[in-house]
Amino acid sequence: MEALLIIVLIAGILSIIMALLFAKMVMKEDPGNEKMVEVSGYIEEGAKTFIKVQYKVLALFVGGLSILMLFLMNPGQLSVPHMIAYIIGAVGSMWAGWLGMIVGVRANTRAAQACTKGVKEGFDVSFFGGAVMGLAVVGVALIGVSIIYWVTLDAGVVLGFSFGASSVALFAKCGGGIYTKTADVGADLVGKAEYDLPEDDPRNPAAIADNVGDNVGDIAGMGSDLFDSYVASIVASMMLASAATIAAELLLTNQVLFIVLPVLLSGIGLFASLLGIFYIKKKTTEDPGKSLNAGTYMATIIFAGLAAIMIAICTALTASPVEQLLLWKCYGASIAGLFSGVLIGFIGDYFTNERYAPTRNMAESAQEGHAVVVLSGFAYGLMSVVPPALGIVVAMVIAFSLAGVFGVSMAAVGMLAIVGTIVANDAYGPICDNARGIAEQGDLGEDVIRTADKLDSAGNTAKAITKGFAIGAANLTVLALLYSFIEETGIVGAVIDLLNVKVLIGAFIGVVVPALFSALLVLAVQRNAAKMVIEIRRQFEENPKILTGEEAADFNKCIEIATKGSLRELIIPSIISIAIPLSIGIFFGALSLGAFLAGAILSGFVFAIFMSNSGGAWDNAKKFIEDGNLGGKGTETHKAAITGDTVGDPFKDTAGPSINTLLVVMSLTASIFLGLIMVFNGGAGLLIF
Amino acid sequence: MEALLIIVLIAGILSIIMALLFAKMVMKEDPGNEKMVEVSGYIEEGAKTFIKVQYKVLALFVGGLSILMLFLMNPGQLSVPHMIAYIIGAVGSMWAGWLGMIVGVRANTRAAQACTKGVKEGFDVSFFGGAVMGLAVVGVALIGVSIIYWVTLDAGVVLGFSFGASSVALFAKCGGGIYTKTADVGADLVGKAEYDLPEDDPRNPAAIADNVGDNVGDIAGMGSDLFDSYVASIVASMMLASAATIAAELLLTNQVLFIVLPVLLSGIGLFASLLGIFYIKKKTTEDPGKSLNAGTYMATIIFAGLAAIMIAICTALTASPVEQLLLWKCYGASIAGLFSGVLIGFIGDYFTNERYAPTRNMAESAQEGHAVVVLSGFAYGLMSVVPPALGIVVAMVIAFSLAGVFGVSMAAVGMLAIVGTIVANDAYGPICDNARGIAEQGDLGEDVIRTADKLDSAGNTAKAITKGFAIGAANLTVLALLYSFIEETGIVGAVIDLLNVKVLIGAFIGVVVPALFSALLVLAVQRNAAKMVIEIRRQFEENPKILTGEEAADFNKCIEIATKGSLRELIIPSIISIAIPLSIGIFFGALSLGAFLAGAILSGFVFAIFMSNSGGAWDNAKKFIEDGNLGGKGTETHKAAITGDTVGDPFKDTAGPSINTLLVVMSLTASIFLGLIMVFNGGAGLLIF
């Protein structure tokens, strides 16, 4: 049965090959004029500097945790395979992130140059640049999971791989998120608000740092975040299928088939993603936003078709009619998950797109001043949590009634199956954003900038959907991880009962953690942006020739502030995400830890959706006004809208999306260190009361 | 044993008598000059208009619900006593709110006049005005609870009384909260920001509506909110003590003693509150803020002493050593609750007082613009949730280890025991606030305004503590109600297990509801304030003589907008708070409903603390700047701080505190309509999967 994994392995290798081919294709494009190459070079250098420093810190973190895992994962024995898998997961994710980012930063100047030819040309370069990241993520994940399981036949070891991916995501997503907003907010506060410079103006000392931020935060960060969720969803399903209780409940005779099933479905998803990518390429029209979304829908439909064929083949591999039926039920669960992901994306679009009422109302409320647009975005953001929550609930009801908790994990797998397309669409955005900046800085003229703007705005449309997708998928994944944790603890007899005060305490602390985490990240951005503001002001004041364009600003100083600051600010959040679940487990026990995770998952969902959507809507409300509505640029209304956008920046690009990572890291920490937790009063915790 | 209730009944009557005496005392004071009497008359008229319309709507709501209760509380039989208790609870709360508010609006002009004599004189009038509300609330609650239990000997009927109080609180708190911020935000946005009028300027057409709002929102609303929590905490304990399972667990032989215990402790709390009030009166110095807080601490200590004496007496009433020990354990639990309430208050003060780092940092961040001060307040507000959550957790651990879930309910009773002092301190604030306005409008001169300002700022200091107290108390109360609900359902065997997907679904929806509720209230304020803005601008534009002070503005138009708007906006939130828990119970069953309540309680706690503290801190950051720091009034920094304050207004005075009420109403709805829910598949819910 495990031999089926060879198909997945081949698919993974194919994916990496395609990624490298796409990368080569992009590199062959014309990088544009000298100035553009120079700017692009600065961005590449800045991004590399950040990633290198980050990876050094990460090496320490991963090194430390791997030693912890080796000795404490199963106290009394050495967990060598788990440790190795952990390191492979971390290195794999780092490699995929590095590749995606390097291609991204090189694609931007080429995309800018291609924009001189037209929308379609610009789109192709940006999109293929982004697709490299999407395919690299899926390829590394599938190769890692299939080989590790094939070699060890132990889903628990694959869990180590997943934890490695998570550790990287924590740094890449949070660190990158802080970086990108430090630069963006700093650049806006001084450049735009005080000196009336346009976006991406080369005179702004933080302009390059801002561009670097797009790459490290939105490409490398987002990629590693989805890598993390993707692997975790597969592993959670494998763990559940491996659990004896689940096998008994589902009457499995052919357990391995169901352990392998999530990997197979994800492999099928890769093909669907690839076809989706080619569909987008073929269908590129004058409305690139539509093409991107059409590609997502196409991948969804193709997945539904291909997965049905695969399930039909699988039914031939078992003689048990119960299992044959169950295979189809798992199919149903995964499709329910996928469709609910698309639905959540749609809703995100509704709440953040200026074509619909909420963002329109927000833009209008900017006429009443700064405070009102903030309040309005806050309220709509909170409101936008309701429909996705119902979407998740419906997916859960369907999945659970089909195949119990295993069904829920299959829904997560289904939702993440087309992650290749999602990451590709997502990484497309920052490339266009950078291309626009380079076109501006390379003096390519208004027409080219307008073309780049069009591509950029398509990226924003796509992003609304991919972000909702990412959050929904992460949420279903951590729910599956929670189930897997509960099964693993063997506390199915001793249920997580809310009447138990330890359970309630766990849930209470769990609910608070995402709020604390968001607060720390927002403060981190605010603190760093303040330093950036001081630096930019200093440069303008000390050297008036920067503003006249006669002398270049000192970009490196700004890059340094963003780099150092974002890594320093990471220390507390990363400690929290490991230390709090461990402490809960050690002091209050495994039951309490389960409730802690549940509380964190639920409130994390609320905060993630709220922050992402309110931030996106403020951004688009501002753009709506900048397009000439409600008085247009320069008015008081516009200024109020900029306030909204600035508030939303760390919401949507730092805190909101980082919560996913937090949830996955905490869930995996619980599962990985369960052996350690069980040492304390047999998992009942040190505190007995 | 029930005869002990006669002490409580007498205490309650005494409380009402004291309230009426204080009211008389206040009325005897000099109401000031003609202009002041006129303005005060407008405020009184506006407040009465609002309350009358509100009570009419409330009569329909209570009437409808009482019919529902009569037929559906126990389907198949008529629940006459419960219905009567429900109506008594509603009417009692309405009466207390009415009395407190009328005295409040009449105290304001007298307080303003007293300020001409000095701080102490002004303080006395304001404080006794506020104490009327505090004593009325406690008196009505104690009389109601003790008589109803004495007559029926059924804690379930007292639950009806509590539900009546809750229904009123829902309208008074949410409606009053929307009203007050509609007027405040509207008045600030046009008057302060566009026309540079000072606060409370008589030329501002919304000035009177703003003053009315303080009375209906902060006096009547806050009073009914605490009335609601107070009664609910007592009832939850009575219900738990009545439950056979609890009685068996605690080895009770003398069950009635423990049913009566929470009522007795609350009665003792009344004496402690009264002594606290007299202590404040005696200790009034030149720093009234300190006096108020000293009174709170004094009441706490007196309660600890008096309650010990009462427990000692109670131990004489039982021969069982187990029960004697348990009585002392309950004492310990209630003291743990009370101290954690004080601690939460302290922390609220730390996070919102400009003497400490968070608010200072927020004020400084205003130098970087509107967006940064908003982000900073958002982050500190979220962070301020952590220590109170730990406070609640510690109280729960202590209370639970002393006396199980009954202990947790006793902690809630302990925390709310000194509610008389808390409400008195709280109602003091809006009276001073109004007094300041009337001093301004009555031309009493700068010195008097400064005196009133001093009193007002003491009110804000006290408010930070009382608000934290109110939220902490409400939270422990709803936890106790949750336990009582679980016991009531008799599903202790069928535990609320997170592995059960229905339970997880319930929790998921529960977590989202406080977010939705907050969003609806914030949007309500925003929508109404927008109408107010249009009306104020219209008046200024159509009649320029208003601005020169030659002609009076049309106050009534503004009052009408606030009144109508706030009641209209109440419709959806009030339906939600009843319909959602009922639907969850009917469709997903009682287990799911329990998890729903737990989810709502946990996320509600986060949102309530976050919104109250961020709002309070923004307010004080603005005041810190207005006191001449960081450049003082009129600077860009000040403008940014005003944006923060305006964002915080509906947070701290509408949405944040209304969440308490929401939680209590939902918890009581679940308990009251449990009989109905049990009809559907024996409480398993209509949806079987």
Side-chain angles (χ1 to χ4, degrees), chain B residues 420-438:
Chain B
T421 307
I422 301 293
V423 174
N425 286 3
D426 212 78
Y428 159 88
I431 295 177
C432 297
D433 194 347
N434 268 258
R436 193 206 168 284
I438 291 176

Side-chain angles (χ1 to χ4, degrees), chain A residues 211-251:
Chain A
N211 286 323
V212 171
D214 292 339
N215 291 290
V216 300
D218 297 349
I219 300 188
M222 187 75 172
S224 64
D225 176 29
L226 278 164
F227 185 105
D228 174 33
S229 302
Y230 184 54
V231 175
S233 73
I234 300 173
V235 174
S237 305
M238 293 174 85
M239 293 287 291
L240 284 171
S242 309
T245 41
I246 299 280
E249 197 185 304
L250 297 175
L251 305 172

Side-chain angles (χ1 to χ4, degrees), chain B residues 629-651:
Chain B
N629 298 295
L630 303 169
K633 278 189 186 176
T635 56
E636 283 303 311
T637 306
H638 182 222
K639 279 186 193 153
I642 291 177
T643 293
D645 180 39
T646 313
V647 170
D649 268 339
F651 278 30

Side-chain angles (χ1 to χ4, degrees), chain A residues 308-332:
Chain A
I309 298 172
M310 195 209 68
I311 293 287
I313 296 173
C314 285
T315 52
L317 298 173
T318 172
S320 148
V322 175
E323 289 192 334
Q324 286 170 352
L325 182 60
L326 183 62
L327 280 167
W328 283 110
K329 284 179 169 174
C330 289
Y331 172 73

Side-chain angles (χ1 to χ4, degrees), chain A residues 365 368 375-376 379 383 397 400 475 483 495-499 501 504-505 508 511 519 523 526 530 605-606 646-647, chain B residues 368 371 375-376 379 383 397 400 475 483 495-499 501 504-505 508 511 519 523 526 530 605-606 646-647:
Chain A
S365 71
E368 289 151 39
L375 282 172
S376 160
M383 222 176 253
V397 168
F400 187 86
N475 210 257
Y483 285 141
V495 287
I496 301 189
D497 175 17
L498 278 177
L499 202 59
V501 81
L504 208 51
I505 286 171
F508 215 131
V511 164
L523 271 187
Q526 191 223 315
F605 181 78
V606 172
T646 313
V647 170
Chain B
E368 289 151 41
L375 282 173
S376 160
M383 221 176 257
V397 169
F400 188 86
N475 211 257
Y483 285 140
V495 286
I496 301 190
D497 175 17
L498 279 177
L499 202 59
V501 81
L504 208 51
I505 287 171
F508 215 131
V511 165
L523 271 188
Q526 192 223 314
F605 181 77
V606 172
T646 313
V647 170

Side-chain angles (χ1 to χ4, degrees), chain B residues 149-170:
Chain B
Y149 184 72
W150 208 354
V151 172
T152 63
L153 292 181
D154 179 353
V157 179
V158 189
L159 200 68
F161 179 75
S162 183
F163 195 46
S166 266
S167 303
V168 175
L170 186 65

Side-chain angles (χ1 to χ4, degrees), chain A residues 334 337-338 340-341 344 392 410-419 469 472-473 476:
Chain A
S334 68
L338 183 54
S340 104
I344 293 172
I392 293 272
M410 291 309 293
V413 169
M415 210 187 239
L416 279 154
I418 59 161
V419 77
F469 219 96
L476 265 187

Side-chain angles (χ1 to χ4, degrees), chain A residues 11-12 14-20 22-23 95-97 99-101 103-104 126-142 218-220 222-224 226-227 230 266 269-271 273-274 277 416-428 431:
Chain A
L14 182 73
S15 182
I16 299 284
I17 294 172
M18 294 294 297
L20 295 173
F22 282 177
W95 180 79
L99 175 72
M101 205 208 55
V103 174
S126 313
F127 182 69
F128 282 112
V132 171
M133 183 82 207
L135 293 173
V137 159
V138 178
V140 172
L142 290 183
D218 297 349
I219 300 188
M222 187 75 172
S224 64
L226 278 164
F227 185 105
Y230 184 54
S266 303
L270 168 61
F271 288 110
S273 291
L274 266 177
I277 288 169
L416 279 154
I418 59 161
V419 77
T421 308
I422 300 294
V423 174
N425 285 4
D426 212 80
Y428 159 89
I431 295 177

